[in-house]
């Protein structure tokens, strides 16, 4: 049984009153499910083009709803994109919002207006299930007590998550801040600097590994896979990588079933196809294109099971389902799982027609699968090339629930409801991209047909590219790159020298937006607390 925190009951009261006061024919607000995959590229879903992985259940969402072909993540790694998703603010505006270790403190202030809080204030039941990766607690978390603040304190009534990523310790589930199945006689310790306890590590005992690493991931071995970071204890609480996805899915379905009769918001943060790719045996070898592609099939199947549950509960007509991803694909991402070789052999490219991938500001890093299905309001089979961004969901949720945002709420978020339901134009004049770095500025911008990449996505990216340069992605040079996405969606011809005025104008735009602290006209900078 899913236990809602007591706050949930109180939060539901206003909606009950509002519904009762409305005329009998008044529309019920929709349920909302935001499904975010992890490192799923534009070309990884078959409705987006000629990839070699068949994703029939995801394609069905597109057929029955809207397929956005310019749906963006605000960053090309996990933590900053999810920060932007939940706050409606670009993460590069704030220090400390880069890829987090599993023992990081929460990076979003509990006093902020967040995506779940917008829904909860409107009387929704809210839940997050899956990958968290936004930190927990207000110092180094002690996983032997309830860790707070965390998702519950940001507006989720129910949270069933991993702390960070599958390749980072601690390898345990947390339910509403508490480690699931923790035996108090076997306390957990976690450290990212030095070894704790005596569990073997990949570095010292490579012979114990069932999946080899080739970069990073040399620390504590859990389930035959070495991870980033050291842990010991909590043996009874360790997850099983091969059932991780099924476990999340079951929790999500339980939440949907338990929310019948009142509107709900579910943030379903799937972990596929991020490393380590260790899918359930029923998907191993199924794609014919390697471990990563098998994990994509597993994700597609999980989408099917969520949709089945919605249908079985009679909820699918008035549920808005959005499916996207946090950043572009990285076939090789630290484990020797041969995913890159196998995808090349199969002729699959996770970025589809786009250049680059995870860690880069090229379209392959930030242009995401982006689907929206809501039979009651979105006509089936539409396609839109209007640029939208995951940061828009906060303002869109506010519009959906009829609760206006304050200027400093979600300062980079635009209401895209008319884009979804009426085929309207994007309300945003431009979109900024970037992973947090030394300078608190974006590193790339898209405005209409133009895309300017000022510097590449930082040292992390440069290292990633040097380690494994995809054939079409030269290492960053530091010189500005200007592309005409209409004529050259693959970002192959640098027009910076030909259009210096455009480079200048867009550079000024980026600087101005960084200085102001917002990009939505009329907004204000979010308070820094
Ligand atoms: C990198 C890891 C990579 C992945 C990434 C985070 C190495 C060499 N690479 O540092 O495997 O975990 O962080 O991915 O350790 S993300 O999707 O959560 O941003
Ligand atoms: Ca990711």
């Amino acid at each position: 049984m899913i236990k809602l925190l007591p706050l949930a009951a109180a939060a539901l009261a206003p909606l009950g009153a509002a519904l009762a006061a409305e005329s009998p024919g008044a529309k019920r607000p929709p349920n909302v499910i935001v499904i975010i995959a992890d490192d799923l590229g534009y070309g990884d879903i078959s409705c987006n083009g000629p990839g070699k992985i068949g994703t029939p259940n995801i394609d069905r969402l597109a057929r029955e709803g809207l397929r956005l072909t310019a749906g963006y993540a605000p960053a090309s790694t996990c933590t900053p994109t999810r920060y932007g998703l939940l706050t409606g603010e670009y993460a590069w505006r704030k220090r400390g919002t880069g890829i987090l270790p599993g023992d990081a403190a929460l990076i979003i202030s509990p006093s902020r207006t967040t995506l779940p809080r917008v829904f909860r204030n409107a009387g929704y039941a809210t839940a997050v299930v899956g990958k968290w990766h936004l930190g927990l607690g207000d110092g180094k978390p002690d996983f032997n007590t309830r860790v707070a603040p965390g998702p519950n304190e940001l507006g989720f009534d129910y949270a069933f998550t991993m702390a960070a990523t599958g390749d980072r310790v601690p390898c345990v589930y947390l339910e509403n801040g508490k480690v699931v199945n923790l035996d108090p006689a076997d306390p957990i310790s976690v450290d990212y600097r030095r070894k704790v306890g005596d569990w073997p590590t990949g570095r010292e005992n490579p012979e114990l590994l069932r999946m080899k690493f080739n970069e990073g991931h040399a620390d504590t071995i859990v389930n035959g896979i070495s991870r980033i970071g050291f842990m010991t204890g909590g043996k009874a609480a360790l997850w099983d990588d091969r059932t991780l996805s099924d476990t999340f899915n079951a929790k999500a379905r339980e939440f949907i079933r338990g929310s019948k009769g009142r509107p709900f918001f579910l943030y379903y943060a799937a972990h596929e196809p991020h490393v380590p790719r260790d899918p359930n045996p029923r998907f191993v070898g199924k794609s014919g294109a390697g471990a990563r592609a098998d994990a994509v099939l597993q994700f597609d199947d999980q989408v099917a099971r969520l949709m089945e549950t919605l249908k079985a509960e009679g909820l699918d007509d008035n549920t808005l389902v959005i499916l996207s991803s946090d950043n572009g694909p990285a076939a090789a991402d630290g484990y020797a799982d041969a995913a890159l070789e196998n995808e090349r052999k199969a002729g699959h490219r996770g970025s589809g027609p786009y250049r680059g991938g995870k860690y880069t500001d090229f379209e392959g890093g930030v242009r995401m699968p982006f689907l929206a299905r809501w039979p009651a309001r979105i006509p089936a089979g539409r396609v839109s090339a209007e640029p939208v961004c995951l940061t828009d969901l906060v303002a869109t949720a506010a519009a959906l629930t009829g609760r206006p945002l304050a200027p400093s709420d979600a300062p980079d978020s635009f209401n895209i409801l008319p884009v979804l339901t009426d085929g309207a134009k994007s309300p945003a004049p431009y979109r900024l991209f970037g992973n947090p770095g030394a300078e608190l500025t974006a590193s790339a911008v898209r405005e209409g047909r133009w895309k300017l990449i000022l510097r590449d996505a930082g040292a992390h990216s440069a290292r990633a590219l040097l380690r494994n340069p995809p054939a079409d992605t030269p290492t960053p040079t530091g010189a500005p790159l200007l592309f005409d996405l209409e004529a050259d969606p693959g970002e192959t011809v640098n027009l910076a020298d030909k259009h210096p005025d455009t480079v200048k104008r867009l550079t000024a735009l980026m600087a101005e937006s960084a200085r102001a602290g917002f990009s939505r006209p009329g907004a204000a900078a979010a308070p820094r607390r």
Side-chain angles (χ1 to χ4, degrees):
M1 243 314 277
I2 285 186
K3 291 155 278 169
L4 295 184
L5 291 188
L7 302 158
L12 290 173
L15 184 82
L19 286 181
E22 281 177 5
S23 61
K27 280 200 188 100
R28 256 183 73 104
N31 309 303
V32 178
I33 303 182
V34 174
I35 303 173
I36 305 290
D38 195 357
D39 302 1
L40 187 75
Y42 183 91
D44 281 323
I45 59 175
S46 37
C47 56
N48 271 351
K52 292 292 191 290
I53 310 174
T55 51
N57 298 299
I58 295 169
D59 294 2
R60 186 163 174 194
L61 294 181
R63 224 173 32 247
E64 297 176 350
L66 172 70
R67 183 167 68 90
L68 292 134
T69 58
Y72 287 100
S76 60
T77 55
C78 171
T79 300
T81 284
R82 288 166 204 267
Y83 176 93
L85 169 76
L86 294 191
T87 64
E89 178 187 53
Y90 292 129
W92 50 258
R93 296 193 188 280
K94 195 184 162 186
R95 287 196 200 287
T97 56
I99 299 171
L100 293 177
D103 62 350
L106 180 67
I107 57 170
I108 301 175
S109 161
S111 61
R112 286 194 72 148
T113 295
T114 61
L115 184 58
R117 189 159 277 143
V118 170
F119 284 113
R120 186 201 256 192
N121 287 346
Y124 279 57
T126 56
V128 54
V129 174
K131 181 190 197 185
W132 181 240
H133 212 186
L134 291 164
L136 292 165
D138 45 22
K140 185 175 153 68
D142 174 0
F143 289 99
N144 302 296
T145 59
R146 176 166 186 269
V147 189
N152 298 128
E153 288 68 28
L154 294 184
F156 288 109
D157 301 326
Y158 178 70
F160 188 96
T161 60
M162 55 167 77
T165 64
D167 57 338
R168 282 173 175 74
V169 301
C171 302
V172 297
Y173 297 113
L174 289 124
E175 189 171 38
N176 294 327
K178 280 195 182 147
V179 172
V180 179
N181 288 338
L182 180 65
D183 173 0
D186 181 26
I188 299 183
S189 331
V190 170
D191 204 297
Y192 271 71
R193 275 154 312 191
R194 61 192 78 83
K195 184 169 169 172
V196 284
D198 58 359
W199 291 10
T201 63
R203 193 178 289 108
E204 296 159 325
N205 291 93
E207 75 285 356
L208 298 178
L209 296 174
R210 70 185 168 82
M211 191 186 294
K212 304 262 181 258
F213 60 92
N214 50 25
E215 171 142 31
H217 307 105
D219 305 333
T220 302
I221 301 175
V222 176
N223 303 335
I225 302 172
S226 49
R227 319 273 166 159
I228 306 174
F230 301 96
M231 80 174 283
T232 189
K235 225 173 192 139
L238 295 177
W239 69 49
D240 168 2
D241 295 82
R242 291 164 176 168
T243 57
L244 187 103
S245 182
D246 288 338
T247 303
F248 286 146
N249 199 265
K251 290 293 172 190
R253 285 181 284 133
E254 209 179 306
F255 172 75
I256 293 171
R257 284 195 295 264
S259 304
K260 216 175 147 183
R262 58 184 205 263
F264 67 84
F265 164 60
L266 168 65
Y267 167 32
Y268 185 73
H271 195 40
E272 296 100 340
H274 193 282
V275 293
R277 289 125 192 172
D278 192 18
N280 192 270
R282 66 187 193 279
F283 299 101
V284 174
K286 204 177 162 196
S287 68
R292 183 175 171 282
D294 291 346
V296 173
L297 294 189
Q298 175 167 274
F299 173 60
D300 184 65
D301 183 64
Q302 304 294 15
V303 171
R305 296 211 267 157
L306 290 183
M307 297 310 293
E308 274 161 29
T309 305
L310 275 186
K311 287 211 171 94
E313 299 297 319
L315 297 172
D316 86 307
D317 191 55
N318 198 31
T319 298
L320 167 60
V321 177
I322 292 179
L323 182 144
S324 190
S325 171
D326 65 345
N327 54 253
D333 206 16
Y335 288 100
D337 61 6
L340 182 64
E341 296 78 352
N342 280 317
E343 287 183 13
R344 281 196 179 143
K345 232 185 278 161
H348 180 76
R349 247 189 125 256
S351 318
Y354 298 113
R355 178 171 171 179
K358 183 175 181 177
Y359 310 115
T360 79
D361 286 333
F362 293 116
E363 293 288 284
V366 291
R367 200 187 280 225
M368 298 290 99
F370 212 118
L371 309 174
R373 177 192 185 275
W374 180 12
R377 292 283 304 277
I378 299 180
R382 265 204 192 146
V383 178
S384 167
E386 287 302 309
V388 300
C389 183
L390 288 172
T391 46
D392 294 336
L393 296 190
V394 180
T396 305
L400 257 182
T401 55
R403 277 152 199 261
L405 290 175
S408 64
D409 291 341
D412 298 304
S413 190
F414 292 80
N415 169 20
I416 58 164
L417 199 53
V419 180
L420 304 184
T421 57
D422 305 326
K425 292 240 163 274
S426 167
Y430 58 90
R431 303 287 182 178
L432 297 164
F433 306 97
N435 299 313
E439 305 156 59
L440 297 177
T441 58
S443 46
V445 58
R446 175 176 173 183
E447 185 215 44
R449 68 195 303 163
W450 298 113
K451 170 93 173 277
L452 176 72
I453 302 179
L454 261 198
R455 50 173 202 277
D456 211 291
H460 190 99
S461 147
R463 265 206 323 275
L465 293 178
L466 283 168
R467 182 174 73 237
N468 171 40
D472 56 1
T473 308
T475 50
T477 59
L481 301 169
L482 180 73
F483 302 108
D484 175 351
L485 292 180
E486 265 169 34
D488 176 28
E491 297 171 296
T492 59
V493 185
N494 183 6
L495 300 173
D497 290 343
K498 220 170 142 189
H499 297 279
D501 291 352
T502 304
V503 172
K504 219 167 140 189
R505 188 172 58 78
L506 295 179
T507 306
L509 197 71
M510 290 164 79
E512 172 52 22
S513 176
R515 197 200 52 74
F518 62 88
S519 62
R520 181 179 68 243
R528 282 282 163 257
R529 17 171 209 239

